Amino acid sequence: MNDATLVLVGNAKAGTISVLRLGEGSLDPLAEHEVGVGCGTFAIDHARGLVHTAVKEPEPAIVTLSFDAATGQLTETARRAIPDPLAYLVLTREGELLLGASYAGNWGASWPTPDGVPGEPVGRVEHRHLHCVVPDAAGRHAYWVALGDDLVAQTAITEDGGLEPLDPGTVSVEEGAGPRHLVLAANERSAYLVTEFTGEVIRFERDDATGVLTRAESVSIVDPGAGLSTSRLGADPMEEHLIWGADVHLAQFGSFLLATERTASTVATVSMEPEGLLGAVIGLTPTEAQPRGFAVAPDNRHVVVAGERSGGVALYELSDEGILTELDRRDTGSGANWVRFA
């Protein structure tokens, strides 16, 4: 493992970003920076040494910070007001374009960042409760997950960063599934979507030429012994003991898919079949209370999971057999819910 690998954790209720160093089986705190309540998403521009985060207070904004990789220190350099808070931020085109999805505002947008600072938005999509946006590696296409409309909107990214619908412009899932987060396979021939209300991971086949997604197979990532029922928009999953799917990532170079469920506080490990097909759930690992977000380290073996209720993160190692073993944990701050590696 690279001793210089750093972990950034967003603590939404505390309004802070914690920076930790990933050591040999440990998470070592380095720094903490106050950015504003609601900092539940951020994107790292490694080449420019910048972090873009979204906050709710004192007003909804995209905050840009310079990042010192040696010390972990963050320094605010710009702040752009936006109409509504953002649930997801991601960079594309080598940091030249920022994409964001607003759950509260029912819109998504693109902002050019040629100098590392978001300019005026140049593209926009509108769907109910957009929760996630993921571009392909080339920055040609972007996929916008709309929890409220039970669909994934598919767009081309124009030369100037604008957004144009593909044909078809959307791909639907079952009504009431609550699609939430999505990740592309390394070869980008498959996309994997986790649903919030039904606790499934759905695979889509992806046409590399057109960018269009086609629904394929699915697998449940819910603990069958937890006694959870299907959730719905506006419900309190903890109070009613309902399914509460959260995040999804690939690990071990695509050998396994990991997905979190917050009510039972588990990480599901799904085996992957040839050509990226979903296999069986081979493990359900208890983890931090209410695990909203997590990330897989650059070595594809170490995993850091954030707990919204625990206010901390746990470090795991994923074995060749798909077993997650906890190595360390650290308190970071109230509402810990977002993790990225730098």
Side-chain angles (χ1 to χ4, degrees):
M1 188 190 308
N2 182 359
D3 289 339
T5 299
L6 301 182
V7 185
L8 277 66
V9 181
N11 309 297
K13 292 182 179 179
T16 60
I17 295 177
S18 301
V19 184
L20 306 96
R21 189 181 304 280
L22 180 60
E24 291 295 336
S26 66
L27 290 170
D28 306 316
L30 282 183
E32 185 173 285
H33 185 82
E34 292 187 10
V35 292
V37 171
C39 56
T41 181
F42 52 80
I44 302 174
D45 185 339
H46 296 87
R48 293 185 176 94
L50 297 174
V51 176
H52 302 284
T53 189
V55 301
K56 295 179 181 179
E57 297 179 10
E59 65 177 354
I62 299 171
V63 182
T64 301
L65 309 108
S66 62
F67 178 50
D68 187 329
T71 65
Q73 293 296 320
L74 296 165
T75 304
E76 184 174 329
T77 60
R79 185 174 288 244
R80 168 170 284 279
I82 51 178
D84 307 283
L86 294 173
Y88 207 103
L89 279 173
V90 65
L91 286 162
T92 187
R93 295 185 178 175
E94 299 182 338
E96 295 288 316
L97 189 69
L98 184 67
L99 307 177
S102 175
Y103 182 91
N106 306 307
W107 55 265
S110 56
W111 296 266
T113 54
D115 56 357
V117 176
E120 293 294 330
V122 293
R124 185 178 176 93
V125 298
E126 295 185 5
H127 287 284
R128 286 199 308 141
H129 298 320
L130 282 170
H131 216 308
C132 171
V133 53
V134 174
D136 62 3
R140 296 184 301 133
H141 304 120
Y143 303 94
W144 308 78
V145 181
L147 183 146
D149 285 336
D150 290 312
L151 59 79
V152 179
Q154 313 176 116
T155 65
I157 305 174
T158 65
E159 185 175 349
D160 65 355
L163 305 169
E164 296 181 349
L166 299 182
D167 184 14
T170 63
V171 56
S172 298
V173 299
E174 288 79 6
E175 184 176 354
R180 183 181 171 87
H181 280 189
L182 179 142
V183 63
L184 289 174
N187 63 12
E188 300 193 330
R189 295 173 185 166
S190 293
Y192 304 92
L193 173 72
V194 67
T195 64
E196 181 167 331
F197 301 148
T198 58
E200 299 170 276
V201 170
I202 303 170
R203 185 178 75 88
F204 296 85
E205 295 179 349
R206 178 178 179 272
D207 186 307
D208 186 60
T210 65
V212 169
L213 302 179
T214 303
R215 167 81 183 253
E217 75 279 1
S218 64
V219 63
S220 173
I221 54 94
V222 178
D223 182 354
L228 303 178
S229 302
T230 299
S231 190
R232 65 193 184 281
L233 195 62
D236 184 334
M238 296 300 293
E239 179 69 23
E240 300 182 48
H241 203 58
L242 305 177
I243 295 169
W244 205 6
D247 204 3
V248 60
H249 293 285
L250 297 170
Q252 284 280 34
F253 304 98
S255 296
F256 300 103
L257 178 143
L258 306 176
T260 51
E261 193 284 314
R262 288 175 285 180
T263 299
S265 297
T266 56
V267 182
T269 303
V270 181
S271 64
M272 301 291 284
E273 304 295 336
E275 303 302 321
L277 276 66
L278 293 169
V281 175
I282 59 174
L284 286 164
T285 305
T287 188
E288 296 292 301
Q290 209 165 298
R292 183 185 187 275
F294 71 100
V296 177
D299 65 6
N300 258 272
R301 181 178 294 272
H302 290 84
V303 181
V304 175
V305 181
E308 283 182 311
R309 272 196 299 133
S310 72
V313 293
L315 170 66
Y316 297 88
E317 184 173 16
L318 181 65
S319 73
D320 293 338
E321 296 72 37
I323 298 171
L324 284 168
T325 301
E326 185 171 334
L327 303 177
D328 195 12
R329 80 164 305 278
R330 296 285 179 174
D331 291 328
T332 56
S334 180
N337 67 0
W338 199 264
V339 184
R340 290 292 183 264
F341 284 86

